[in-house]
Amino acid sequence: MDIFEAVRTVRAIRHYRPDSVPVDALSRILEAARLTGSSMNAQPWHFIVVEDRATIDQLATVYEYGHYISEAPLVIAVLIERGQRFAVSDASRAIQSMVLTAWSEGIGSNFVGFFGLEAARPMVGAPESHEIFALLPFGYPLHPPSTSRKKRKPLAEIASRERFGEPYS
Ligand SMILES: Cc1cc2nc3c(=O)[nH]c(=O)nc-3n(C[C@H](O)[C@H](O)[C@H](O)COP(=O)(O)O)c2cc1C
């Protein structure tokens, strides 16, 4: 799958088959995160790979909009170092790298949370030096991913040519 095709087709996947994510695919997902560029190359992130069923079930209780995490065979908790100004941007890029890498292999994921995950700290042993930024469930989609048009603003609404408000096309 080329890059644009992955971006064009990737969807937020919230239901997963129970099959494990293969070890080599997991390695590529993590490598995609590791290789992501960050501001000043600070790499202010840490990724906790969770496959233990009991822990995943606990993580699923943490966030109001992430209970479906319990369906996933794999969750990656994304932590960011406290006090790093660009950490949110950096970690978001790493998340997108992981999600697209997984998607190119037929594995679905989604971005769960945006902080507000404090209750997950003891579940994954996160140290005080880090905040839990997001939880990423991964798994093969239970249903064929939707091929309907994505609900997105039209380009004319979100792009201009040369100056804000000048029609792009
Ligand atoms: C920063 C961020 C936080 C998100 N948080 C959640 C969340 O907590 N739970 C959830 O189910 N989806 C979450 N999403 C996924 C969005 O709902 C999803 O990307 C959007 O609805 C588009 O979905 P689609 O690509 O399938 O059309 C989040 C996405 C982002 C970028």
Side-chain angles (χ1 to χ4, degrees):
M1 189 182 283
D2 76 18
I3 292 170
F4 180 71
E5 189 60 8
V7 172
R8 191 183 73 80
T9 58
V10 68
R11 303 304 298 252
I13 300 298
R14 298 185 176 90
H15 297 287
Y16 311 93
R17 300 204 320 249
D19 323 43
S20 303
V21 171
V23 175
D24 56 338
L26 172 55
S27 298
R28 283 188 288 276
I29 290 167
L30 283 172
E31 191 64 353
R34 190 181 74 83
L35 292 172
T36 298
S38 55
S39 173
M40 295 178 286
N41 207 18
Q43 305 162 67
W45 46 48
H46 193 94
F47 306 97
I48 302 178
V49 176
V50 181
E51 294 180 286
D52 178 70
R53 173 54 33 209
T55 308
I56 290 175
D57 286 345
Q58 278 188 311
L59 291 173
T61 66
V62 167
Y63 202 71
E64 185 181 359
Y65 304 107
H67 295 320
Y68 57 87
I69 281 177
S70 61
E71 291 186 26
L74 163 70
V75 174
I76 297 180
V78 180
L79 278 56
I80 56 176
E81 291 174 20
R82 287 190 199 278
Q84 286 274 357
R85 184 171 171 210
F86 301 107
V88 167
S89 165
D90 295 335
S92 298
R93 295 191 80 204
I95 288 170
Q96 188 71 346
S97 295
M98 288 192 277
V99 168
L100 289 177
T101 298
W103 188 252
S104 74
E105 307 210 15
I107 297 165
S109 184
N110 198 18
F111 196 134
V112 171
F114 190 91
F115 302 111
L117 299 166
E118 200 47 34
R121 183 176 295 282
M123 300 172 189
V124 294
E128 284 300 327
S129 54
H130 289 67
E131 290 184 82
I132 304 176
F133 176 55
L135 298 173
L136 306 182
F138 288 92
Y140 292 99
L142 183 62
H143 310 293
S146 169
T147 52
S148 63
R149 283 171 80 93
K150 292 186 181 185
K151 264 177 66 181
R152 300 291 192 264
K153 295 176 181 176
L155 194 63
E157 201 178 311
I158 59 156
S160 303
R161 193 174 288 281
E162 307 297 345
R163 293 177 63 79
F164 189 94
E166 295 295 326
Y168 170 76
S169 58

